[in-house]
């Protein structure tokens, strides 16, 4: 990618950690899953229909790469990164759309830009006739990912074991314990945490996706790990966090898990400093509509996501609606990777470095 897009990717990675820090509670860690890329997809599209201070605030919220770089990245994501075909492995699908109430007039220039730049359909539709709904444009990116591990686990080797939800609370959960390549894995060891890279089978288009599991050394170290990664996400949330050379693995135990999240995220975005798109007093989307009889604004941002990880691979889906470096190890160094306490996970597209899905698991028994 060009330098501008590299900067936009760094902004998307940083946004991933900003969202993770605010969605999670350091006092009471809970399971959660979300798609940073889904959030990123909708914001440049909204920016293209916004004007004035609202557009400037959306662009500033996305990061210092700037409006053009983020629009170019969003276009590339829609047309290349997430343009997988149904029936392929990994199966990756992305759909973008903008809907405006039929009582309003959609700006043809915005509709053309949505289609040509963001690969998004823009059209009018008859919404519910409640007066409060008449002036609300809606934008929705939907992501779907179905990947098979490059080295799948053997279901017959899955065994129950102890998972420490906290230092004084443990539960019994099923752990995946073996794969076709059980002795060599991509693991990075760092002060305070270890990282396991689990690649998915590469599709015919050559795209490479992988899940990265970040495991703090301490059983109650999840909040500290989030702070540590947030201090330098460009380095600590990057494929170079794991050495290119696989290491010998001693004991390997990874819990099966399914986590989900459904959240009205407008409050989250407001707390992070993005408030003008939600204020009709600012007339924020004048570039989206023609001769609107009233000012319009985003009324809510509904984000839904789920991630399921098992012996075969991962299924993940998300939708957002707006209505370090590796470390070298000696050849004889044996590393255990036992995920028996709360951890973070990230699904990344490795050529670009984009974070497609992210989350944390505090208790694998809770869905």
């Amino acid at each position: 990618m060009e330098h501008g897009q590299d900067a936009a990717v760094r902004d998307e990675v940083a946004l991933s950690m900003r969202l993770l820090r605010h969605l999670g509670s350091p006092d009471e860690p809970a399971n959660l899953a979300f798609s940073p890329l889904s959030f990123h997809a909708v914001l440049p599209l909204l920016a293209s229909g916004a004007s004035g201070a609202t557009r400037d605030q959306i662009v500033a919220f996305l990061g210092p790469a700037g409006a053009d770089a983020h629009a170019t990245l969003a276009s590339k994501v829609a047309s290349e990164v997430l343009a997988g075909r149904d029936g392929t492995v990994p199966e990756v699908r992305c759909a973008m759309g903008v809907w405006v109430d039929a009582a309003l007039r959609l700006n043809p220039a915005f509709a053309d830009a949505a289609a040509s730049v963001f690969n998004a359909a823009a059209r009018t539709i008859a919404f519910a006739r409640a007066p409060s709904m008449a002036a609300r444009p809606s934008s929705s990116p939907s992501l779907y990912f179905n990947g098979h591990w490059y080295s799948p686990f053997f279901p017959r080797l899955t065994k129950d074991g102890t998972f420490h939800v906290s230092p004084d609370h443990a539960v019994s959960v099923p752990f995946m314990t073996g794969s076709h390549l059980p002795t060599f894995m991509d693991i990075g060891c760092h002060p305070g945490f270890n990282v396991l890279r689990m690649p998915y089978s590469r599709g015919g288009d050559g795209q490479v996706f992988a899940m990265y599991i970040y495991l703090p050394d301490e059983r109650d170290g999840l909040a500290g790990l989030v702070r540590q990664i947030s201090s330098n996400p460009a380095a600590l949330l990057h494929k170079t966090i794991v050495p290119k050379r696989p290491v010998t693995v001693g004991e390997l135990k990874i819990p099966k898990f399914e986590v989900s999240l459904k959240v009205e995220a407008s409050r989250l975005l407001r707390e992070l400093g993005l408030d003008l798109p939600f204020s009709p007093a600012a007339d924020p989307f004048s570039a989206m509509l023609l001769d609107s009889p009233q000012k319009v604004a985003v009324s809510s941002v509904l984000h839904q996501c789920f991630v399921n990880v098992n012996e075969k691979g991962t299924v993940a889906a998300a939708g957002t609606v707006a209505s370090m470096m590796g470390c070298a190890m000696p050849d004889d160094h044996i590393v255990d990777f036992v995920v028996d306490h709360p951890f973070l996970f990230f699904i990344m597209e490795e050529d670009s470095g984009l974070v497609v899905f992210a989350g944390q698991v505090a208790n694998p028994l809770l869905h």
Side-chain angles (χ1 to χ4, degrees):
M1 286 189 178
E2 294 83 358
H3 293 303
Q5 290 182 56
D6 288 341
V9 169
R10 289 193 295 272
D11 287 345
E12 191 266 351
V13 171
L15 176 62
S16 303
M17 294 309 302
R18 290 163 64 195
L19 294 170
L20 182 58
R21 290 189 68 177
H22 281 75
L23 285 169
S25 169
D27 299 324
E28 297 182 5
N31 294 351
L32 66 88
F34 67 99
S35 172
L37 200 56
S38 183
F39 277 93
H40 183 273
V42 73
L43 291 174
L45 181 58
L46 289 177
S48 70
S51 58
T54 299
R55 180 183 182 277
D56 293 343
Q57 188 182 73
I58 296 173
V59 172
F61 181 83
L62 284 167
D68 291 344
H70 281 287
T72 301
L73 177 62
S75 177
K76 191 177 186 71
V77 166
S79 62
E80 299 179 20
V81 177
L82 299 180
R85 298 179 299 275
D86 292 355
T88 63
V89 178
E91 182 179 357
V92 186
R93 287 178 281 168
C94 176
M96 284 283 289
V98 179
W99 299 272
V100 174
D101 190 275
L104 304 174
R105 293 180 60 199
L106 188 67
N107 188 335
F110 171 78
D112 291 344
S116 62
V117 178
F118 301 101
N119 197 26
R123 56 176 62 95
T124 57
I125 189 171
F127 287 162
R129 288 307 175 190
S132 62
M133 290 296 295
R136 295 177 182 177
S138 176
S139 172
S140 172
S142 298
L143 304 181
Y144 175 81
F145 175 86
N146 182 6
H148 296 172
W149 302 126
Y150 177 79
S151 176
F153 293 86
F154 293 116
R156 70 176 185 274
L157 297 179
T158 297
K159 300 177 181 179
D160 287 348
T162 300
F163 186 94
H164 301 274
V165 177
S166 66
D168 56 0
H169 179 206
V171 295
S172 179
V173 304
F175 282 89
M176 302 179 292
T177 61
S179 69
H180 295 302
L181 299 174
T183 56
F184 297 98
M185 299 288 286
D186 299 329
I187 297 177
C189 299
H190 304 273
F193 68 96
N194 290 347
V195 184
L196 171 68
R197 173 184 177 268
M198 298 202 301
Y200 297 98
S201 294
R202 183 177 303 204
D205 54 7
Q207 290 180 318
V208 181
F209 292 86
M211 174 175 282
Y212 289 76
I213 294 179
Y214 284 65
L215 182 68
D217 291 348
E218 303 298 328
R219 290 177 179 173
D220 58 354
L222 190 64
L225 178 57
V226 171
R227 289 192 298 269
Q228 185 174 356
I229 299 174
S230 298
S231 69
N232 190 2
L236 295 175
L237 193 52
H238 190 272
K239 63 183 179 181
T240 54
I241 195 72
V242 173
K244 292 183 178 180
R245 184 175 182 178
V247 301
T248 304
V249 178
E251 186 176 13
L252 175 66
K253 293 175 64 178
I254 301 170
K256 297 172 64 174
F257 64 89
E258 179 178 321
V259 296
S260 61
L261 176 72
K262 181 178 180 180
V263 61
E264 204 297 295
S266 59
R267 179 179 176 182
L268 164 70
L269 296 174
R270 288 174 183 267
E271 290 175 349
L272 289 171
L274 188 63
D275 59 345
L276 293 181
F278 306 99
S279 173
D283 195 16
F285 297 106
S286 57
M288 186 184 295
L289 304 172
L290 293 176
D291 303 324
S292 175
Q294 55 185 304
K295 296 178 179 180
V296 301
V298 177
S299 59
S300 65
V301 177
L302 178 64
H303 183 78
Q304 299 182 77
C305 182
F306 83 92
V307 175
N308 180 288
V309 172
N310 57 34
E311 294 90 349
K312 188 176 181 179
T314 302
V315 176
T320 302
V321 179
S323 10
M324 195 169 227
M325 305 62 98
C327 51
M329 297 183 184
D331 292 340
D332 59 352
H333 191 89
I334 297 177
V335 178
D336 293 333
F337 201 88
V338 179
V339 187
D340 64 354
H341 54 277
F343 60 93
L344 304 175
F345 67 87
F346 302 89
I347 297 177
M348 300 177 65
E349 199 286 315
E350 300 215 285
D351 288 340
S352 63
L354 289 163
V355 179
V356 185
F357 294 93
Q360 64 185 34
V361 178
N363 184 345
L365 291 183
L366 302 179
H367 294 169

